[in-house]
Amino acid sequence: MSQDSEPSVCNIFKDNSSKIINKLEMQIPSHFQIYSDMYKEYLHMLDDVFGTCIISEKEFFDKINADENSMKHIKSFSDSMTDFWIKQIENYDNYLKWYYQMRISGMKSYDQFVHIMMNSYSKTLSNFTKSLED
């Protein structure tokens, strides 16, 4: 509690909620790092699965002697699917950016609303207190 303020229920709740919020804010960098590291490991694992698959299936594909035209079609299909997924990743990234902006805007609007309501509430309490004094 700040020394220049009088002890009150509001000050106690404000100070304690600030302690909790500060503790959560301090953990944000480590939480992001943890999730980032897990996600990167997941992606590397998927990449390794395909690498292992290539090694395992190379002998099989070498024996079937796929002609060059078939390989061009397979490559074209694979390239199309890759382009599709890259677009999906970009779309999702754009969606997350939009979603972030929308949520931040909503939180700021709500914060303004709460301030207006608290000012109104304070005025009502003040008027009520004055009426009790009369």
Side-chain angles (χ1 to χ4, degrees):
M1 201 168 346
S2 56
Q3 293 179 356
D4 56 292
S5 63
E6 294 180 28
S8 72
V9 172
C10 290
N11 286 340
I12 291 168
F13 288 164
K14 169 67 173 113
D15 288 344
N16 286 329
S17 64
S18 291
K19 287 177 189 176
I20 292 169
I21 290 168
N22 287 334
K23 180 66 174 178
L24 290 170
E25 284 179 343
M26 288 183 343
Q27 293 180 343
I28 289 172
S30 68
H31 287 190
F32 276 123
Q33 189 63 52
I34 288 167
Y35 284 110
S36 175
D37 290 347
M38 285 190 328
Y39 188 64
K40 283 192 278 187
E41 192 61 36
Y42 171 74
L43 293 175
H44 289 290
M45 180 207 51
L46 285 177
D47 196 39
D48 287 345
V49 166
F50 286 106
T52 303
C53 177
I54 289 170
I55 293 168
S56 301
E57 295 178 349
K58 181 174 179 1
E59 185 179 332
F60 171 77
F61 285 114
D62 286 347
K63 285 184 180 179
I64 64 169
N65 292 325
D67 67 343
E68 190 175 323
N69 195 33
S70 296
M71 295 309 289
K72 284 181 184 177
H73 289 297
I74 291 170
K75 180 169 178 13
S76 175
F77 174 75
S78 181
D79 289 347
S80 295
M81 291 305 296
T82 299
D83 291 343
F84 170 79
W85 282 108
I86 287 173
K87 290 276 190 220
Q88 292 302 314
I89 292 166
E90 290 169 352
N91 288 340
Y92 184 65
D93 186 55
N94 289 333
Y95 166 76
L96 283 179
K97 289 173 185 173
W98 167 82
Y99 181 73
Y100 160 79
Q101 291 170 347
M102 181 190 66
R103 291 294 300 258
I104 292 294
S105 175
M107 285 187 271
K108 287 179 179 180
S109 295
Y110 182 73
D111 187 51
Q112 290 172 351
F113 169 75
V114 168
H115 280 274
I116 291 168
M117 293 306 297
M118 290 308 296
N119 285 336
S120 175
Y121 177 68
S122 294
K123 287 177 185 175
T124 302
L125 284 179
S126 179
N127 290 337
F128 180 72
T129 303
K130 285 180 186 175
S131 71
L132 289 176
E133 292 173 355
D134 293 336

